[in-house]
Amino acid sequence: MNNLEGKGFADLLQRFRKRARLTQQALAERLGAHRTTVSFWERGEYVPETLTMVLELARVLQLSEAEQRLLVEARFGTASILPFSNLPEQTPYFTGRDSVLQMLHDALAAGEQVALSQAHALSGLGGIGKTQTALAYASRYRTHYHDILWALADTRESLMASYMSFAEHLRLEVRAEYEQQKVVEAVKRWMREHKGWLLILDNIEDLGLAREFVPTPRQGAVLLTTRRTETTPLARPLPLDALPEEEGILFLLRRSGLLPLEASLEAATPAQQETARVVVQALGGLPLALDQAGAYIAETRCRLSDYLDLLQQERVGLLARRGTVPSEHPESVATTLALAFERVQQQSEVAGELLKPCAYLAPDAIPLDVLRMGAAELGPVLTPVLAQPLACNAALETLQAYSLVRRDAEQGTLSLHRLVQAVQQAALPKEEQRRWAERTVRLVSAAFPTAKAETWERCQQLLPHALVCAEHIGCWKLAFPEAASLLLQIGRYLHQRAQYRGALPLLQQALELYEQVYGSEHPDVARSLNHLADLYLAQGEYEQALPLFERALMIRERALGPHHLDVATTLNDLADLHREQGRYAQALSLAERALAIREQALGAHHPDVASSLNTLGDLYSHQGQYARALPHYQRALAIREQALGADHLDVATTLNNLANLYSYQGQYALELPLMQRALAIYEQALGPNHLYVAVSLNNLGDLYREQGKYEQALPLVQRALAIYEQAVGLDHPYVAASLDILASLYQAQGKYTEALLHYQQSLAIREQALGLVHPQVAISLNYLAGLFRVQGQDKEALPVYQRALAIREQALGPDHPRVATTLNNMADFYHARGQNEQALPLAQRALTIREQALGPDHRDVAESLNSLALIFQAQGQEAQALPLLQRAVAIWERVLPDHPDTATSLKRLAALLRRLEFAQEASELEGRLEALHSSRNSSS
């Protein structure tokens, strides 16, 4: 090293540092260096090795251009030329991309060996903002480079012209046009000999040009912008995606003149932000499209909302309009993409054809296996190619080369921008548009599975594409069986995920299509009627469900005969409807007939027979006829274990039903192992985070709650809630069920604030999902009123009870057992307040309803008898109370001999007998009570 050269640099550095009032330590920290390094520089013992570091010193010390040149010359000598840059002018509207610019800086840090040995490439769709991002990078980090060379590289001619310009400005010896190759070699030689430069090859399509025009080795950094997604090993790709939503909104508002260039998003009104958000979403965050939109708004001075209306009506026309003001990107979105389509078609007819079905599906995560399996639906060009992996990959490679699609090899999917889809569709004649709409409907219909828990993952994967196909069906008025079938399956899946509002129009449209295709008496029409009725049943809209079920049954009996299995399906569904409405006699008749059909057609040991047995078991259980329910569940379990194996999902379902029966009877020791076994089956078959696992966890947690084992219950219910929220979303009625159990746990522990929060959240979910008058809403209201009552908040409790009663009377009729439940709760409420005159008629009506609907021996009848007896006792009418309590005890001992409520009734009756001086009878009851306690303790 020349000592004088080093000393001159050292003196300058020390003088500039002191002027900036920085210590050596402070300067070192800003450079990311050690203080000793700065000390060596100022003593002249060492000098910075790279131009990058000298330029960084100039930036930190805030040197003028002349001072920067002086410092550079002191380090590298007077032979070093002045910095050169031919950067085009950057748009003033450039917004965001900070993370991308930082990544580029980290990758392209001049002087770093990796950056010098390998180029980097901003890749992406035309109009995605590659050029402007490269310009923004070069402008932001200008001081990190001595020279910045910008070359348009879309063709050899334009790249050669740029190199001729470089040679002239760099004062290289060879400049004549007829010595073009010598010019290229001279520029490449300069790149080998000089440090600290950045070369940007903009819009390069032929990557071979980069190999020809960029030397190896070299002493500067190279950045490409290209539509090609695969640039390795020549350049490390940095794919550029659409603008993030917030950045897109800010860009649009600035570009349209609605915000000043320096303003932040917070300066816009909420209405402007929201409308801009919708526009950004509609344009997919594509910067070129947003630039067009902003230019249109600025030039026409229309309102943002007016542009949005126009966009929804005339999207293709707007995409084709570039505006009158000169722009850094002269072509419109439509023209830019159309040129890419044209080049693809020239290179590969198959690639051009493959883009068409992709344009008629959802833009993200298109499963390649769907295209392959449904190749026969996609026309003569694609059908043979999709069956050949090599040819298919070649077509995809062409599409990826122009960033028209992105392939996720790991997931086996394709994605493309929504505006690529819009422009591709618009480029087709109307007849061909209709043809591709129909082809994709057939394609997705063949792939969409029958909706059930085991297929939910696949259904969810295909759902976005299926919903787009549903739009095609409506838009093009497509009417063929596959279209109706697809609508039906989407509707069934959404129903199962409790997305009722989304399911309803699809199931209604499916019914209309089936009727249009087949006429009103076809079995497929009946199937569609049945599923629509099921949806109404799930929503508690029983009046709408009943005629649909009845019409489905009539069609099936007439078309298929009275003993067909499809007839049994509708009979079973009708039985569920009548059960929900408390019409147990009608439900029982229908369920028994369904069972008979299935046994006759399938034999006594078929799994479908087990389904009917389960339905009958549910019916008897609802009526409190536990002794009759038990053998039905046991037989169903035996059939399923024999036919399906001990670890089948349907076996777990029956185990849960049987466990619930034991729960009603208070036989917790019998219930627990069944629930644990069901949970183990679900976890083994479906994994730890499936919806059915959550159901089992909820049931098990509720069992521990009833037993007072709160510490064991809480983590189970919390885990169930987490699974529900992940599997079906935060607003599903299943989530409400978990919240109810959690709330009751908190209530039992005296944590009333937490309980209130969960009950209110449960109520809000059910109201939102099911409507304000659904029976499940009344469940939440009953829980909430009970909490208010426990806390002594009578003013809050009463109107909640009254609303629950009104809902149940309206939805279920005045004589439904659930109406009686609310009446009994209200009677207990008035009794606790000493308002026995108001309590008495409510308790009497509840008892009448329960006896009539459930029979004289139901546990709920015993509950009403107890409530009524307490009211009579409070009024001093103990003689009237006695027979009621005696009858209640008789029911409990007969139906649920080991239940805790049996012990409560025995204790209450014994106390009354002692007051009435029936000492012997009281002693006898107390003996039975002691025996009951001993029995329960022993079983525990």
Side-chain angles (χ1 to χ4, degrees):
M1 181 188 70
N2 184 309
N3 191 56
L4 287 176
E5 175 189 326
K7 192 67 176 174
F9 176 84
D11 290 342
L12 280 173
L13 176 59
Q14 188 176 65
R15 182 165 35 130
F16 290 145
R17 176 180 63 77
K18 289 180 177 179
R19 187 187 69 183
R21 297 183 179 180
L22 293 175
T23 64
Q24 289 183 344
Q25 179 67 37
L27 178 58
E29 288 176 356
R30 296 192 184 188
L31 293 171
H34 196 278
R35 189 193 67 79
T36 307
T37 302
V38 176
S39 175
F40 284 161
W41 288 345
E42 291 191 355
R43 293 205 302 267
E45 296 180 19
Y46 296 104
V47 290
E49 290 296 321
T50 66
L51 176 62
T52 303
M53 181 55 75
V54 177
L55 295 175
E56 182 66 6
L57 276 167
R59 184 186 69 80
V60 170
L61 296 170
Q62 298 182 329
L63 303 186
S64 67
E65 187 173 335
E67 290 169 336
Q68 173 182 306
R69 183 168 63 251
L70 191 62
L71 193 66
V72 169
E73 290 177 352
R75 165 62 185 89
F76 294 102
T78 54
S80 63
I81 64 171
L82 295 176
F84 165 69
S85 171
N86 68 330
L87 280 179
E89 184 178 353
Q90 185 184 6
T91 174
Y93 304 108
F94 184 85
T95 302
R97 301 289 197 198
D98 289 336
S99 61
V100 175
L101 297 178
Q102 184 60 52
M103 288 170 64
L104 269 178
H105 179 55
D106 294 342
L108 287 172
E112 294 291 338
Q113 194 58 41
V114 173
L116 298 180
S117 62
Q118 185 176 37
H120 288 73
L122 281 172
S123 63
L125 180 68
I128 204 71
K130 302 180 294 294
T131 297
Q132 287 302 316
T133 302
L135 273 173
Y137 170 76
S139 299
R140 178 175 295 188
Y141 296 102
R142 175 68 185 84
T143 59
H144 290 261
Y145 299 97
H146 186 272
D147 306 285
I148 298 182
L149 299 89
W150 182 281
L152 181 61
D154 55 343
T155 64
R156 168 182 288 277
E157 290 72 22
S158 59
L159 185 55
M160 182 62 75
S162 293
Y163 268 56
M164 297 287 289
S165 176
F166 294 163
E168 180 180 351
H169 285 90
L170 295 172
R171 299 192 293 277
L172 303 182
E173 294 180 1
V174 182
R175 297 190 300 275
E177 290 185 11
Y178 57 83
E179 296 179 313
Q180 286 184 350
Q181 193 55 43
K182 290 185 178 180
V183 168
V184 172
E185 291 304 320
V187 174
K188 289 168 66 175
R189 185 167 56 253
W190 180 92
M191 291 177 179
R192 292 190 189 98
E193 295 172 352
H194 290 76
K195 300 179 180 180
W197 50 265
L198 169 66
L199 171 65
I200 299 175
L201 300 181
D202 184 37
N203 199 26
I204 189 167
E205 297 299 333
D206 181 1
L207 297 180
L209 291 177
R211 293 187 178 91
E212 181 181 343
F213 279 74
V214 180
T216 302
R218 53 182 175 268
Q219 298 194 67
V222 178
L223 174 63
L224 316 178
T225 73
T226 179
R227 283 183 292 190
R228 294 187 175 272
T229 54
E230 185 49 61
T231 59
T232 54
L234 175 69
R236 183 175 299 173
L238 178 58
L240 204 58
D241 290 323
L243 279 174
E245 194 169 89
E246 297 301 311
E247 292 180 9
I249 294 169
L250 184 58
F251 173 65
L252 175 62
L253 293 175
R254 287 174 174 174
R255 182 65 181 88
S256 61
L258 296 173
L259 276 185
L261 293 180
E262 68 280 0
S264 66
L265 189 55
E266 290 70 27
T269 67
Q272 285 177 324
Q273 291 185 45
E274 189 52 38
T275 307
R277 187 183 310 279
V278 179
V279 173
V280 170
Q281 290 171 349
L283 296 175
L286 188 71
L288 177 56
L290 295 175
D291 184 70
Q292 277 185 231
Y296 183 89
I297 294 167
E299 291 174 21
T300 62
R301 298 184 182 276
C302 72
R303 294 180 303 176
L304 194 59
S305 57
D306 293 335
Y307 179 84
L308 179 58
D309 292 339
L310 193 59
L311 180 64
Q312 291 167 343
Q313 299 166 20
E314 301 287 347
R315 180 170 61 169
V316 174
L318 284 177
L319 293 178
R321 183 190 185 280
R322 189 62 189 102
T324 57
V325 178
S327 167
E328 68 281 348
H329 196 302
E331 303 293 353
S332 69
V333 172
T335 302
T336 299
L337 295 178
L339 288 171
F341 299 159
E342 185 179 330
R343 291 185 183 182
V344 165
Q345 193 71 32
Q346 290 170 354
Q347 290 187 32
S348 167
E349 180 190 7
V350 174
E353 197 77 355
L354 184 55
L355 193 61
K356 293 173 184 175
C358 294
Y360 280 84
L361 295 166
D364 297 316
I366 299 169
L368 265 171
D369 66 333
V370 170
L371 296 173
R372 292 191 180 108
M373 289 187 299
E377 304 289 351
L378 297 180
V381 175
L382 288 179
T383 296
V385 171
L386 287 170
Q388 303 171 33
L390 197 61
C392 181
N393 286 338
L396 288 171
E397 184 181 4
T398 303
L399 291 174
Q400 290 178 92
Y402 290 91
S403 292
L404 292 174
V405 302
R406 294 190 305 276
R407 184 176 185 178
D408 187 329
E410 187 71 26
Q411 299 297 323
T413 60
L414 303 176
S415 298
L416 64 166
H417 196 279
R418 65 182 68 244
L419 296 188
V420 171
Q421 294 183 308
V423 174
Q424 172 67 86
Q425 289 183 28
L428 301 176
K430 286 291 182 184
E431 287 185 9
E432 198 170 347
Q433 289 181 28
R434 181 185 180 87
R435 184 184 311 124
W436 279 108
E438 180 174 335
R439 282 175 173 176
T440 51
V441 169
R442 294 182 185 277
L443 178 80
V444 176
S445 182
F448 205 95
T450 300
K452 52 187 176 181
E454 296 89 326
T455 64
W456 277 5
E457 185 176 349
R458 180 63 164 174
C459 289
Q460 187 60 38
Q461 182 190 27
L462 296 179
L463 181 63
H465 310 292
L467 291 173
V468 169
C469 287
E471 293 178 11
H472 296 329
I473 292 169
C475 176
W476 294 99
K477 300 190 183 324
L478 304 177
F480 48 88
E482 293 85 353
S485 175
L486 179 59
L487 292 171
L488 188 70
Q489 293 305 329
I490 308 170
R492 289 187 66 189
Y493 172 65
L494 293 177
H495 169 190
Q496 290 170 12
R497 301 304 291 263
Q499 298 178 33
Y500 301 133
R501 290 184 178 85
L504 181 59
L506 292 165
L507 292 177
Q508 289 172 328
Q509 190 181 358
L511 175 59
E512 291 171 6
L513 271 188
Y514 275 126
E515 289 179 322
Q516 183 179 343
V517 172
Y518 291 128
S520 60
E521 298 297 315
H522 193 276
D524 281 353
V525 171
R527 181 164 63 104
S528 190
L529 285 163
N530 223 71
H531 290 310
L532 183 56
D534 277 335
L535 177 63
Y536 283 127
L537 174 59
Q539 294 178 279
E541 297 180 21
Y542 305 130
E543 297 304 318
Q544 288 92 331
L546 181 60
L548 298 176
F549 276 136
E550 289 176 336
R551 185 181 160 204
L553 180 62
M554 181 182 66
I555 293 172
R556 283 176 160 170
E557 287 180 323
R558 195 153 47 215
L560 305 171
H563 304 298
H564 194 276
L565 290 172
D566 287 351
V567 171
T569 298
T570 304
L571 289 168
N572 231 47
D573 291 339
L574 255 177
D576 288 337
L577 172 61
H578 286 302
R579 185 197 68 212
E580 283 298 303
Q581 293 183 289
R583 295 198 289 261
Y584 298 120
Q586 294 97 314
L588 186 61
S589 172
L590 294 166
E592 286 176 338
R593 185 180 160 203
L595 174 61
I597 292 172
R598 285 172 168 168
E599 287 182 320
Q600 179 67 30
L602 303 169
H605 304 291
H606 192 277
D608 285 356
V609 171
S611 296
S612 279
L613 290 166
N614 262 332
T615 299
L616 280 164
D618 288 344
L619 263 171
Y620 288 127
S621 184
H622 271 72
Q623 295 177 83
Q625 298 182 39
Y626 304 128
R628 299 189 70 178
L630 181 61
H632 286 81
Y633 285 142
Q634 289 173 328
R635 185 182 160 204
L637 180 61
I639 291 172
R640 285 177 164 171
E641 287 180 324
Q642 179 67 30
L644 305 172
D647 297 325
H648 194 274
L649 293 175
D650 287 349
V651 170
T653 300
T654 307
L655 288 167
N656 265 329
N657 291 337
L658 192 52
N660 287 332
L661 175 63
Y662 290 136
S663 175
Y664 298 147
Q665 295 177 293
Q667 298 185 55
Y668 303 132
L670 296 176
E671 177 185 4
L672 181 60
L674 297 180
M675 285 194 171
Q676 290 172 328
R677 184 181 159 201
L679 175 60
I681 291 172
Y682 285 139
E683 287 185 315
Q684 178 67 29
L686 303 171
N689 299 314
H690 195 275
L691 182 71
Y692 284 8
V693 172
V695 172
S696 272
L697 288 166
N698 237 19
N699 290 341
L700 193 54
D702 204 24
L703 167 61
Y704 285 131
R705 179 191 63 82
E706 286 189 10
Q707 293 179 292
K709 298 177 181 178
Y710 304 134
E711 291 184 1
Q712 290 163 273
L714 187 60
L716 296 173
V717 183
Q718 288 173 329
R719 184 183 158 203
L721 178 61
I723 294 172
Y724 279 145
E725 290 178 337
Q726 181 66 31
V728 294
L730 300 176
D731 301 323
H732 195 286
Y734 287 160
V735 172
S738 270
L739 290 169
D740 281 342
I741 299 175
L742 271 178
S744 62
L745 275 170
Y746 290 131
Q747 181 178 332
Q749 294 174 294
K751 299 177 180 178
Y752 298 135
T753 301
E754 292 93 331
L756 177 62
L757 180 66
H758 285 75
Y759 281 142
Q760 288 174 329
Q761 190 179 348
S762 168
L763 175 62
I765 289 171
R766 283 173 167 149
E767 287 180 327
Q768 179 65 29
L770 304 170
L772 298 179
V773 293
H774 193 280
Q776 284 191 34
V777 172
I779 294 174
S780 289
L781 291 167
N782 261 335
Y783 278 128
L784 188 57
L787 175 62
F788 287 140
R789 182 179 154 195
V790 167
Q791 293 180 278
Q793 297 176 283
D794 294 347
K795 289 183 179 179
E796 288 80 2
L798 182 58
V800 178
Y801 273 136
Q802 289 171 332
R803 185 181 162 206
L805 178 62
I807 290 173
R808 284 179 161 169
E809 287 182 322
Q810 179 180 338
L812 306 171
D815 300 321
H816 195 281
R818 290 179 201 156
V819 171
T821 298
T822 305
L823 288 167
N824 218 73
N825 289 341
M826 292 179 70
D828 290 343
F829 167 78
Y830 282 122
H831 167 67
R833 297 182 66 187
Q835 296 174 284
N836 291 297
E837 289 184 0
Q838 289 96 322
L840 183 60
L842 297 174
Q844 288 172 326
R845 184 181 161 201
L847 176 60
T848 301
I849 293 172
R850 284 171 162 171
E851 287 180 321
Q852 184 173 346
L854 304 172
D857 292 327
H858 195 280
R859 59 185 290 181
D860 288 353
V861 171
E863 181 187 61
S864 281
L865 289 165
N866 268 324
S867 296
L868 198 53
L870 288 173
I871 295 169
F872 281 132
Q873 282 184 267
Q875 292 178 317
Q877 297 174 306
E878 293 183 333
Q880 283 104 316
L882 180 60
L884 298 175
L885 279 177
Q886 289 172 323
R887 188 178 157 206
V889 166
I891 294 172
W892 282 115
E893 289 190 314
R894 186 162 53 248
V895 178
L896 300 171
D898 297 323
H899 198 280
D901 286 348
T902 304
T904 301
S905 284
L906 281 167
K907 186 176 180 180
R908 188 173 292 152
L909 179 56
L912 178 58
L913 286 169
R914 287 210 173 274
R915 279 199 303 277
L916 294 175
E917 299 182 352
F918 293 106
Q920 183 177 347
E921 290 85 344
S923 296
E924 180 187 336
L925 286 178
E926 287 162 355
R928 281 153 57 187
L929 181 60
E930 186 176 343
L932 177 59
H933 282 312
S934 298
S935 172
R936 290 185 60 78
N937 290 335
S938 174
S939 70
S940 297

